[in-house]
Amino acid sequence: MKFSIKNRKDLKIVGNVTIPENPTGLAFLIHGLGVTKDHLLMVKIMETFLESNYIVVNFDATNSFGESEGNYENTTMQLHYEDLVDVIDWSKTQDWYIESFVLAGSSLGGYAVVRYAEEYPSIVKAVFPLAAVVSGELSLKATEKYEGEEEFKKWKETGWFERDSVSMPGTIKRLPYSHMEERLKHNLLPNASKLVMPVLIVVGENDGLCPPADQKVLWDVLPKNEYNEFHIIPGAPHTFRTPEHLAQMKEVIGTWIKKIK
């Protein structure tokens, strides 16, 4: 079932709600920067939850490249998070809504789902951040190292960073340096003690943007929980694309979902 709603900025959010015959739970999915709900990574996460009979809400955040409105150049971590909140608030008015629910997100989406779990722990059953942006400070350092000192300096001086999209050939992504400055306002670590629900952290071994070391920083401050898991996918980059990496991720998620039932 396709849905279209307006967010708090009066921009259209478009997504899909998939309802199995006998639902056992509800999961919200949110993609990362510059990708869409239809990226193979998000589709595989959706399939995994559906195989466990979860209702799945998978949507395009605004200011990205999917069906929702907005301009990629305007995207921020705050706006990405607000879209998740607005979709969940709308879902609470629907007859298929179930509480508590699971949250799953990649990169910027990973930040969004963890932050929501910190702010509303009583209604979050479990949370799955895939290569989350843990803090703006860690993100800035990782990005500078990944892109190279000269390229990063150029971004800061010119105000713009441009690159060809891997996921959407022919599309050029232009991101202002103000996006990175806005990231510095965000940090999941101070409120991590509120993550009392099961947490599944997954990251690629070769992720240069949200590296395993950054994920370990978050892992180390999580409250003790027998359902918490931390997995590093061998050889995988920031965004999983190969059948091998996607299959490994899918197996990890599927096993974890069965544990948290």
Side-chain angles (χ1 to χ4, degrees), residues 192-229:
S193 62
K194 297 180 181 179
L195 299 171
V196 294
M197 70 293 293
V199 179
L200 170 64
I201 295 178
V202 177
V203 63
E205 179 185 20
N206 297 333
D207 189 332
L209 292 171
C210 297
D214 290 4
Q215 309 307 305
K216 182 66 162 49
V217 171
L218 176 60
W219 173 259
D220 286 344
V221 295
L222 291 178
K224 301 298 181 183
N225 188 311
E226 63 179 308
Y227 300 107
N228 287 355
E229 296 185 14

PDB file of all heavy atoms in Angstrom, residues 192-229:
ATOM      1  N   ALA A 192      22.906   7.524  25.186  1.00  0.00           N
ATOM      2  CA  ALA A 192      22.933   6.100  24.871  1.00  0.00           C
ATOM      3  C   ALA A 192      22.440   5.229  26.023  1.00  0.00           C
ATOM      4  O   ALA A 192      21.996   4.103  25.813  1.00  0.00           O
ATOM      5  CB  ALA A 192      24.338   5.682  24.463  1.00  0.00           C
ATOM      6  N   SER A 193      22.493   5.738  27.239  1.00  0.00           N
ATOM      7  CA  SER A 193      22.028   4.962  28.398  1.00  0.00           C
ATOM      8  C   SER A 193      20.533   4.663  28.322  1.00  0.00           C
ATOM      9  O   SER A 193      20.036   3.766  29.016  1.00  0.00           O
ATOM     10  CB  SER A 193      22.325   5.723  29.693  1.00  0.00           C
ATOM     11  OG  SER A 193      21.632   6.966  29.711  1.00  0.00           O
ATOM     12  N   LYS A 194      19.817   5.383  27.474  1.00  0.00           N
ATOM     13  CA  LYS A 194      18.370   5.175  27.321  1.00  0.00           C
ATOM     14  C   LYS A 194      18.053   4.036  26.362  1.00  0.00           C
ATOM     15  O   LYS A 194      16.895   3.658  26.211  1.00  0.00           O
ATOM     16  CB  LYS A 194      17.714   6.466  26.835  1.00  0.00           C
ATOM     17  CG  LYS A 194      17.848   7.624  27.819  1.00  0.00           C
ATOM     18  CD  LYS A 194      17.185   8.884  27.298  1.00  0.00           C
ATOM     19  CE  LYS A 194      17.339  10.035  28.283  1.00  0.00           C
ATOM     20  NZ  LYS A 194      16.714  11.289  27.776  1.00  0.00           N
ATOM     21  N   LEU A 195      19.078   3.489  25.720  1.00  0.00           N
ATOM     22  CA  LEU A 195      18.862   2.401  24.755  1.00  0.00           C
ATOM     23  C   LEU A 195      18.778   1.065  25.487  1.00  0.00           C
ATOM     24  O   LEU A 195      19.649   0.205  25.373  1.00  0.00           O
ATOM     25  CB  LEU A 195      19.988   2.395  23.720  1.00  0.00           C
ATOM     26  CG  LEU A 195      20.103   3.679  22.887  1.00  0.00           C
ATOM     27  CD1 LEU A 195      21.378   3.660  22.043  1.00  0.00           C
ATOM     28  CD2 LEU A 195      18.868   3.837  21.988  1.00  0.00           C
ATOM     29  N   VAL A 196      17.695   0.895  26.214  1.00  0.00           N
ATOM     30  CA  VAL A 196      17.511  -0.294  27.043  1.00  0.00           C
ATOM     31  C   VAL A 196      16.907  -1.454  26.261  1.00  0.00           C
ATOM     32  O   VAL A 196      16.837  -2.580  26.761  1.00  0.00           O
ATOM     33  CB  VAL A 196      16.616   0.035  28.253  1.00  0.00           C
ATOM     34  CG1 VAL A 196      17.314   1.020  29.170  1.00  0.00           C
ATOM     35  CG2 VAL A 196      15.268   0.609  27.796  1.00  0.00           C
ATOM     36  N   MET A 197      16.457  -1.191  25.034  1.00  0.00           N
ATOM     37  CA  MET A 197      15.902  -2.227  24.174  1.00  0.00           C
ATOM     38  C   MET A 197      17.015  -2.954  23.429  1.00  0.00           C
ATOM     39  O   MET A 197      18.159  -2.490  23.416  1.00  0.00           O
ATOM     40  CB  MET A 197      14.915  -1.593  23.173  1.00  0.00           C
ATOM     41  CG  MET A 197      15.555  -0.716  22.090  1.00  0.00           C
ATOM     42  SD  MET A 197      16.329   0.813  22.689  1.00  0.00           S
ATOM     43  CE  MET A 197      14.874   1.711  23.256  1.00  0.00           C
ATOM     44  N   PRO A 198      16.732  -4.116  22.798  1.00  0.00           N
ATOM     45  CA  PRO A 198      17.754  -4.797  22.002  1.00  0.00           C
ATOM     46  C   PRO A 198      18.285  -3.907  20.879  1.00  0.00           C
ATOM     47  O   PRO A 198      17.514  -3.214  20.209  1.00  0.00           O
ATOM     48  CB  PRO A 198      17.012  -6.007  21.426  1.00  0.00           C
ATOM     49  CG  PRO A 198      15.909  -6.269  22.412  1.00  0.00           C
ATOM     50  CD  PRO A 198      15.486  -4.911  22.888  1.00  0.00           C
ATOM     51  N   VAL A 199      19.594  -3.920  20.682  1.00  0.00           N
ATOM     52  CA  VAL A 199      20.244  -3.119  19.642  1.00  0.00           C
ATOM     53  C   VAL A 199      21.119  -4.029  18.785  1.00  0.00           C
ATOM     54  O   VAL A 199      21.933  -4.787  19.315  1.00  0.00           O
ATOM     55  CB  VAL A 199      21.108  -1.995  20.252  1.00  0.00           C
ATOM     56  CG1 VAL A 199      21.784  -1.191  19.138  1.00  0.00           C
ATOM     57  CG2 VAL A 199      20.266  -1.080  21.137  1.00  0.00           C
ATOM     58  N   LEU A 200      20.931  -3.949  17.475  1.00  0.00           N
ATOM     59  CA  LEU A 200      21.765  -4.682  16.530  1.00  0.00           C
ATOM     60  C   LEU A 200      22.589  -3.681  15.729  1.00  0.00           C
ATOM     61  O   LEU A 200      22.040  -2.871  14.976  1.00  0.00           O
ATOM     62  CB  LEU A 200      20.898  -5.509  15.566  1.00  0.00           C
ATOM     63  CG  LEU A 200      21.633  -6.147  14.378  1.00  0.00           C
ATOM     64  CD1 LEU A 200      22.652  -7.177  14.853  1.00  0.00           C
ATOM     65  CD2 LEU A 200      20.629  -6.781  13.406  1.00  0.00           C
ATOM     66  N   ILE A 201      23.901  -3.716  15.905  1.00  0.00           N
ATOM     67  CA  ILE A 201      24.804  -2.838  15.153  1.00  0.00           C
ATOM     68  C   ILE A 201      25.511  -3.671  14.084  1.00  0.00           C
ATOM     69  O   ILE A 201      26.103  -4.709  14.392  1.00  0.00           O
ATOM     70  CB  ILE A 201      25.839  -2.180  16.078  1.00  0.00           C
ATOM     71  CG1 ILE A 201      25.157  -1.228  17.068  1.00  0.00           C
ATOM     72  CG2 ILE A 201      26.883  -1.426  15.260  1.00  0.00           C
ATOM     73  CD1 ILE A 201      26.119  -0.579  18.060  1.00  0.00           C
ATOM     74  N   VAL A 202      25.417  -3.217  12.841  1.00  0.00           N
ATOM     75  CA  VAL A 202      26.086  -3.895  11.727  1.00  0.00           C
ATOM     76  C   VAL A 202      26.869  -2.852  10.939  1.00  0.00           C
ATOM     77  O   VAL A 202      26.382  -1.736  10.712  1.00  0.00           O
ATOM     78  CB  VAL A 202      25.073  -4.605  10.805  1.00  0.00           C
ATOM     79  CG1 VAL A 202      25.789  -5.235   9.606  1.00  0.00           C
ATOM     80  CG2 VAL A 202      24.292  -5.671  11.563  1.00  0.00           C
ATOM     81  N   VAL A 203      28.077  -3.212  10.499  1.00  0.00           N
ATOM     82  CA  VAL A 203      28.907  -2.286   9.730  1.00  0.00           C
ATOM     83  C   VAL A 203      29.826  -3.094   8.825  1.00  0.00           C
ATOM     84  O   VAL A 203      30.191  -4.234   9.153  1.00  0.00           O
ATOM     85  CB  VAL A 203      29.726  -1.366  10.669  1.00  0.00           C
ATOM     86  CG1 VAL A 203      30.702  -2.177  11.507  1.00  0.00           C
ATOM     87  CG2 VAL A 203      30.446  -0.281   9.882  1.00  0.00           C
ATOM     88  N   GLY A 204      30.193  -2.530   7.692  1.00  0.00           N
ATOM     89  CA  GLY A 204      31.130  -3.183   6.801  1.00  0.00           C
ATOM     90  C   GLY A 204      32.560  -3.032   7.282  1.00  0.00           C
ATOM     91  O   GLY A 204      32.946  -1.975   7.804  1.00  0.00           O
ATOM     92  N   GLU A 205      33.359  -4.055   7.086  1.00  0.00           N
ATOM     93  CA  GLU A 205      34.761  -4.019   7.505  1.00  0.00           C
ATOM     94  C   GLU A 205      35.524  -2.873   6.850  1.00  0.00           C
ATOM     95  O   GLU A 205      36.380  -2.243   7.474  1.00  0.00           O
ATOM     96  CB  GLU A 205      35.426  -5.349   7.136  1.00  0.00           C
ATOM     97  CG  GLU A 205      36.899  -5.435   7.496  1.00  0.00           C
ATOM     98  CD  GLU A 205      37.535  -6.711   6.999  1.00  0.00           C
ATOM     99  OE1 GLU A 205      36.981  -7.344   6.068  1.00  0.00           O
ATOM    100  OE2 GLU A 205      38.604  -7.077   7.535  1.00  0.00           O
ATOM    101  N   ASN A 206      35.174  -2.563   5.593  1.00  0.00           N
ATOM    102  CA  ASN A 206      35.880  -1.522   4.842  1.00  0.00           C
ATOM    103  C   ASN A 206      35.097  -0.217   4.749  1.00  0.00           C
ATOM    104  O   ASN A 206      35.318   0.575   3.833  1.00  0.00           O
ATOM    105  CB  ASN A 206      36.217  -2.037   3.438  1.00  0.00           C
ATOM    106  CG  ASN A 206      37.167  -3.215   3.472  1.00  0.00           C
ATOM    107  OD1 ASN A 206      37.955  -3.361   4.410  1.00  0.00           O
ATOM    108  ND2 ASN A 206      37.091  -4.075   2.462  1.00  0.00           N
ATOM    109  N   ASP A 207      34.193  -0.005   5.680  1.00  0.00           N
ATOM    110  CA  ASP A 207      33.426   1.245   5.712  1.00  0.00           C
ATOM    111  C   ASP A 207      34.355   2.385   6.132  1.00  0.00           C
ATOM    112  O   ASP A 207      34.867   2.390   7.249  1.00  0.00           O
ATOM    113  CB  ASP A 207      32.265   1.114   6.696  1.00  0.00           C
ATOM    114  CG  ASP A 207      31.290   2.283   6.630  1.00  0.00           C
ATOM    115  OD1 ASP A 207      31.710   3.403   6.262  1.00  0.00           O
ATOM    116  OD2 ASP A 207      30.105   2.081   6.940  1.00  0.00           O
ATOM    117  N   GLY A 208      34.545   3.352   5.229  1.00  0.00           N
ATOM    118  CA  GLY A 208      35.413   4.472   5.560  1.00  0.00           C
ATOM    119  C   GLY A 208      34.666   5.683   6.068  1.00  0.00           C
ATOM    120  O   GLY A 208      35.260   6.596   6.652  1.00  0.00           O
ATOM    121  N   LEU A 209      33.350   5.730   5.863  1.00  0.00           N
ATOM    122  CA  LEU A 209      32.554   6.892   6.262  1.00  0.00           C
ATOM    123  C   LEU A 209      31.985   6.765   7.671  1.00  0.00           C
ATOM    124  O   LEU A 209      31.910   7.753   8.414  1.00  0.00           O
ATOM    125  CB  LEU A 209      31.422   7.110   5.254  1.00  0.00           C
ATOM    126  CG  LEU A 209      31.880   7.543   3.854  1.00  0.00           C
ATOM    127  CD1 LEU A 209      30.708   7.519   2.884  1.00  0.00           C
ATOM    128  CD2 LEU A 209      32.491   8.938   3.912  1.00  0.00           C
ATOM    129  N   CYS A 210      31.563   5.577   8.034  1.00  0.00           N
ATOM    130  CA  CYS A 210      31.083   5.302   9.398  1.00  0.00           C
ATOM    131  C   CYS A 210      31.780   4.014   9.853  1.00  0.00           C
ATOM    132  O   CYS A 210      31.148   2.968   9.969  1.00  0.00           O
ATOM    133  CB  CYS A 210      29.564   5.138   9.426  1.00  0.00           C
ATOM    134  SG  CYS A 210      28.641   6.598   8.930  1.00  0.00           S
ATOM    135  N   PRO A 211      33.085   4.069  10.059  1.00  0.00           N
ATOM    136  CA  PRO A 211      33.905   2.870  10.243  1.00  0.00           C
ATOM    137  C   PRO A 211      33.569   2.054  11.487  1.00  0.00           C
ATOM    138  O   PRO A 211      32.923   2.546  12.419  1.00  0.00           O
ATOM    139  CB  PRO A 211      35.325   3.444  10.338  1.00  0.00           C
ATOM    140  CG  PRO A 211      35.142   4.853  10.807  1.00  0.00           C
ATOM    141  CD  PRO A 211      33.863   5.319  10.189  1.00  0.00           C
ATOM    142  N   PRO A 212      34.014   0.796  11.485  1.00  0.00           N
ATOM    143  CA  PRO A 212      33.770  -0.064  12.644  1.00  0.00           C
ATOM    144  C   PRO A 212      34.209   0.556  13.965  1.00  0.00           C
ATOM    145  O   PRO A 212      33.555   0.365  14.993  1.00  0.00           O
ATOM    146  CB  PRO A 212      34.592  -1.322  12.304  1.00  0.00           C
ATOM    147  CG  PRO A 212      34.578  -1.380  10.814  1.00  0.00           C
ATOM    148  CD  PRO A 212      34.655   0.060  10.379  1.00  0.00           C
ATOM    149  N   ALA A 213      35.304   1.304  13.936  1.00  0.00           N
ATOM    150  CA  ALA A 213      35.791   1.922  15.180  1.00  0.00           C
ATOM    151  C   ALA A 213      34.761   2.892  15.751  1.00  0.00           C
ATOM    152  O   ALA A 213      34.590   2.977  16.979  1.00  0.00           O
ATOM    153  CB  ALA A 213      37.114   2.645  14.924  1.00  0.00           C
ATOM    154  N   ASP A 214      34.067   3.627  14.885  1.00  0.00           N
ATOM    155  CA  ASP A 214      33.027   4.558  15.344  1.00  0.00           C
ATOM    156  C   ASP A 214      31.840   3.799  15.920  1.00  0.00           C
ATOM    157  O   ASP A 214      31.234   4.222  16.916  1.00  0.00           O
ATOM    158  CB  ASP A 214      32.566   5.454  14.200  1.00  0.00           C
ATOM    159  CG  ASP A 214      33.616   6.465  13.777  1.00  0.00           C
ATOM    160  OD1 ASP A 214      34.746   6.423  14.325  1.00  0.00           O
ATOM    161  OD2 ASP A 214      33.311   7.305  12.893  1.00  0.00           O
ATOM    162  N   GLN A 215      31.491   2.682  15.281  1.00  0.00           N
ATOM    163  CA  GLN A 215      30.373   1.877  15.778  1.00  0.00           C
ATOM    164  C   GLN A 215      30.717   1.264  17.138  1.00  0.00           C
ATOM    165  O   GLN A 215      29.850   1.126  18.006  1.00  0.00           O
ATOM    166  CB  GLN A 215      30.021   0.774  14.771  1.00  0.00           C
ATOM    167  CG  GLN A 215      29.809   1.252  13.344  1.00  0.00           C
ATOM    168  CD  GLN A 215      28.810   2.381  13.231  1.00  0.00           C
ATOM    169  OE1 GLN A 215      27.665   2.265  13.686  1.00  0.00           O
ATOM    170  NE2 GLN A 215      29.214   3.494  12.631  1.00  0.00           N
ATOM    171  N   LYS A 216      31.983   0.933  17.303  1.00  0.00           N
ATOM    172  CA  LYS A 216      32.433   0.366  18.585  1.00  0.00           C
ATOM    173  C   LYS A 216      32.307   1.393  19.704  1.00  0.00           C
ATOM    174  O   LYS A 216      32.023   1.037  20.864  1.00  0.00           O
ATOM    175  CB  LYS A 216      33.891  -0.086  18.442  1.00  0.00           C
ATOM    176  CG  LYS A 216      34.495  -0.739  19.685  1.00  0.00           C
ATOM    177  CD  LYS A 216      33.823  -2.051  20.009  1.00  0.00           C
ATOM    178  CE  LYS A 216      34.663  -2.920  20.951  1.00  0.00           C
ATOM    179  NZ  LYS A 216      35.167  -2.246  22.146  1.00  0.00           N
ATOM    180  N   VAL A 217      32.493   2.669  19.381  1.00  0.00           N
ATOM    181  CA  VAL A 217      32.329   3.725  20.378  1.00  0.00           C
ATOM    182  C   VAL A 217      30.897   3.716  20.911  1.00  0.00           C
ATOM    183  O   VAL A 217      30.668   3.832  22.125  1.00  0.00           O
ATOM    184  CB  VAL A 217      32.684   5.106  19.782  1.00  0.00           C
ATOM    185  CG1 VAL A 217      32.312   6.230  20.756  1.00  0.00           C
ATOM    186  CG2 VAL A 217      34.156   5.189  19.437  1.00  0.00           C
ATOM    187  N   LEU A 218      29.923   3.562  20.002  1.00  0.00           N
ATOM    188  CA  LEU A 218      28.524   3.485  20.428  1.00  0.00           C
ATOM    189  C   LEU A 218      28.270   2.193  21.190  1.00  0.00           C
ATOM    190  O   LEU A 218      27.621   2.201  22.251  1.00  0.00           O
ATOM    191  CB  LEU A 218      27.602   3.574  19.210  1.00  0.00           C
ATOM    192  CG  LEU A 218      26.102   3.423  19.471  1.00  0.00           C
ATOM    193  CD1 LEU A 218      25.598   4.511  20.426  1.00  0.00           C
ATOM    194  CD2 LEU A 218      25.318   3.457  18.150  1.00  0.00           C
ATOM    195  N   TRP A 219      28.775   1.104  20.679  1.00  0.00           N
ATOM    196  CA  TRP A 219      28.585  -0.200  21.319  1.00  0.00           C
ATOM    197  C   TRP A 219      29.069  -0.197  22.769  1.00  0.00           C
ATOM    198  O   TRP A 219      28.408  -0.739  23.658  1.00  0.00           O
ATOM    199  CB  TRP A 219      29.325  -1.268  20.519  1.00  0.00           C
ATOM    200  CG  TRP A 219      29.365  -2.622  21.144  1.00  0.00           C
ATOM    201  CD1 TRP A 219      30.419  -3.174  21.836  1.00  0.00           C
ATOM    202  CD2 TRP A 219      28.317  -3.608  21.160  1.00  0.00           C
ATOM    203  NE1 TRP A 219      30.099  -4.442  22.274  1.00  0.00           N
ATOM    204  CE2 TRP A 219      28.808  -4.732  21.876  1.00  0.00           C
ATOM    205  CE3 TRP A 219      27.032  -3.653  20.647  1.00  0.00           C
ATOM    206  CZ2 TRP A 219      28.054  -5.882  22.071  1.00  0.00           C
ATOM    207  CZ3 TRP A 219      26.266  -4.797  20.841  1.00  0.00           C
ATOM    208  CH2 TRP A 219      26.764  -5.892  21.544  1.00  0.00           C
ATOM    209  N   ASP A 220      30.185   0.430  23.006  1.00  0.00           N
ATOM    210  CA  ASP A 220      30.798   0.406  24.332  1.00  0.00           C
ATOM    211  C   ASP A 220      29.986   1.153  25.389  1.00  0.00           C
ATOM    212  O   ASP A 220      30.197   0.925  26.588  1.00  0.00           O
ATOM    213  CB  ASP A 220      32.211   0.990  24.267  1.00  0.00           C
ATOM    214  CG  ASP A 220      33.207   0.045  23.602  1.00  0.00           C
ATOM    215  OD1 ASP A 220      32.895  -1.150  23.479  1.00  0.00           O
ATOM    216  OD2 ASP A 220      34.288   0.518  23.190  1.00  0.00           O
ATOM    217  N   VAL A 221      29.100   2.049  24.963  1.00  0.00           N
ATOM    218  CA  VAL A 221      28.326   2.812  25.952  1.00  0.00           C
ATOM    219  C   VAL A 221      26.871   2.338  26.043  1.00  0.00           C
ATOM    220  O   VAL A 221      26.074   2.922  26.788  1.00  0.00           O
ATOM    221  CB  VAL A 221      28.357   4.328  25.644  1.00  0.00           C
ATOM    222  CG1 VAL A 221      29.777   4.865  25.783  1.00  0.00           C
ATOM    223  CG2 VAL A 221      27.799   4.646  24.270  1.00  0.00           C
ATOM    224  N   LEU A 222      26.530   1.274  25.315  1.00  0.00           N
ATOM    225  CA  LEU A 222      25.165   0.743  25.401  1.00  0.00           C
ATOM    226  C   LEU A 222      24.942   0.048  26.742  1.00  0.00           C
ATOM    227  O   LEU A 222      25.855  -0.592  27.278  1.00  0.00           O
ATOM    228  CB  LEU A 222      24.910  -0.276  24.283  1.00  0.00           C
ATOM    229  CG  LEU A 222      24.841   0.221  22.844  1.00  0.00           C
ATOM    230  CD1 LEU A 222      24.628  -0.957  21.900  1.00  0.00           C
ATOM    231  CD2 LEU A 222      23.725   1.249  22.677  1.00  0.00           C
ATOM    232  N   PRO A 223      23.735   0.134  27.281  1.00  0.00           N
ATOM    233  CA  PRO A 223      23.414  -0.648  28.478  1.00  0.00           C
ATOM    234  C   PRO A 223      23.534  -2.145  28.167  1.00  0.00           C
ATOM    235  O   PRO A 223      23.319  -2.566  27.029  1.00  0.00           O
ATOM    236  CB  PRO A 223      21.949  -0.265  28.764  1.00  0.00           C
ATOM    237  CG  PRO A 223      21.758   1.047  28.083  1.00  0.00           C
ATOM    238  CD  PRO A 223      22.617   1.006  26.865  1.00  0.00           C
ATOM    239  N   LYS A 224      23.873  -2.932  29.150  1.00  0.00           N
ATOM    240  CA  LYS A 224      24.012  -4.372  28.950  1.00  0.00           C
ATOM    241  C   LYS A 224      22.657  -4.989  28.609  1.00  0.00           C
ATOM    242  O   LYS A 224      21.653  -4.714  29.266  1.00  0.00           O
ATOM    243  CB  LYS A 224      24.585  -5.044  30.199  1.00  0.00           C
ATOM    244  CG  LYS A 224      25.951  -4.513  30.615  1.00  0.00           C
ATOM    245  CD  LYS A 224      26.981  -4.760  29.525  1.00  0.00           C
ATOM    246  CE  LYS A 224      28.353  -4.254  29.964  1.00  0.00           C
ATOM    247  NZ  LYS A 224      29.371  -4.406  28.899  1.00  0.00           N
ATOM    248  N   ASN A 225      22.655  -5.821  27.566  1.00  0.00           N
ATOM    249  CA  ASN A 225      21.418  -6.451  27.119  1.00  0.00           C
ATOM    250  C   ASN A 225      21.782  -7.743  26.395  1.00  0.00           C
ATOM    251  O   ASN A 225      22.626  -7.735  25.489  1.00  0.00           O
ATOM    252  CB  ASN A 225      20.662  -5.506  26.178  1.00  0.00           C
ATOM    253  CG  ASN A 225      19.268  -6.005  25.823  1.00  0.00           C
ATOM    254  OD1 ASN A 225      19.091  -7.153  25.434  1.00  0.00           O
ATOM    255  ND2 ASN A 225      18.286  -5.131  25.961  1.00  0.00           N
ATOM    256  N   GLU A 226      21.165  -8.841  26.782  1.00  0.00           N
ATOM    257  CA  GLU A 226      21.521 -10.142  26.193  1.00  0.00           C
ATOM    258  C   GLU A 226      21.165 -10.228  24.708  1.00  0.00           C
ATOM    259  O   GLU A 226      21.674 -11.107  23.995  1.00  0.00           O
ATOM    260  CB  GLU A 226      20.814 -11.269  26.948  1.00  0.00           C
ATOM    261  CG  GLU A 226      19.290 -11.217  26.869  1.00  0.00           C
ATOM    262  CD  GLU A 226      18.645 -12.372  27.613  1.00  0.00           C
ATOM    263  OE1 GLU A 226      19.033 -13.529  27.357  1.00  0.00           O
ATOM    264  OE2 GLU A 226      17.757 -12.109  28.458  1.00  0.00           O
ATOM    265  N   TYR A 227      20.330  -9.314  24.234  1.00  0.00           N
ATOM    266  CA  TYR A 227      19.933  -9.342  22.832  1.00  0.00           C
ATOM    267  C   TYR A 227      20.745  -8.374  21.968  1.00  0.00           C
ATOM    268  O   TYR A 227      20.529  -8.289  20.759  1.00  0.00           O
ATOM    269  CB  TYR A 227      18.445  -9.012  22.701  1.00  0.00           C
ATOM    270  CG  TYR A 227      17.553  -9.987  23.433  1.00  0.00           C
ATOM    271  CD1 TYR A 227      16.920  -9.625  24.614  1.00  0.00           C
ATOM    272  CD2 TYR A 227      17.371 -11.272  22.942  1.00  0.00           C
ATOM    273  CE1 TYR A 227      16.100 -10.524  25.292  1.00  0.00           C
ATOM    274  CE2 TYR A 227      16.557 -12.183  23.610  1.00  0.00           C
ATOM    275  CZ  TYR A 227      15.930 -11.799  24.782  1.00  0.00           C
ATOM    276  OH  TYR A 227      15.139 -12.690  25.451  1.00  0.00           O
ATOM    277  N   ASN A 228      21.638  -7.636  22.578  1.00  0.00           N
ATOM    278  CA  ASN A 228      22.484  -6.724  21.807  1.00  0.00           C
ATOM    279  C   ASN A 228      23.511  -7.512  20.999  1.00  0.00           C
ATOM    280  O   ASN A 228      24.108  -8.469  21.514  1.00  0.00           O
ATOM    281  CB  ASN A 228      23.210  -5.745  22.726  1.00  0.00           C
ATOM    282  CG  ASN A 228      22.290  -4.694  23.295  1.00  0.00           C
ATOM    283  OD1 ASN A 228      21.123  -4.621  22.940  1.00  0.00           O
ATOM    284  ND2 ASN A 228      22.819  -3.867  24.180  1.00  0.00           N
ATOM    285  N   GLU A 229      23.717  -7.093  19.752  1.00  0.00           N
ATOM    286  CA  GLU A 229      24.700  -7.755  18.894  1.00  0.00           C
ATOM    287  C   GLU A 229      25.459  -6.728  18.067  1.00  0.00           C
ATOM    288  O   GLU A 229      24.910  -5.698  17.677  1.00  0.00           O
ATOM    289  CB  GLU A 229      24.021  -8.766  17.953  1.00  0.00           C
ATOM    290  CG  GLU A 229      23.354  -9.932  18.664  1.00  0.00           C
ATOM    291  CD  GLU A 229      22.814 -10.965  17.689  1.00  0.00           C
ATOM    292  OE1 GLU A 229      23.185 -10.919  16.496  1.00  0.00           O
ATOM    293  OE2 GLU A 229      22.007 -11.815  18.104  1.00  0.00           O
TER     294      GLU A 229
END
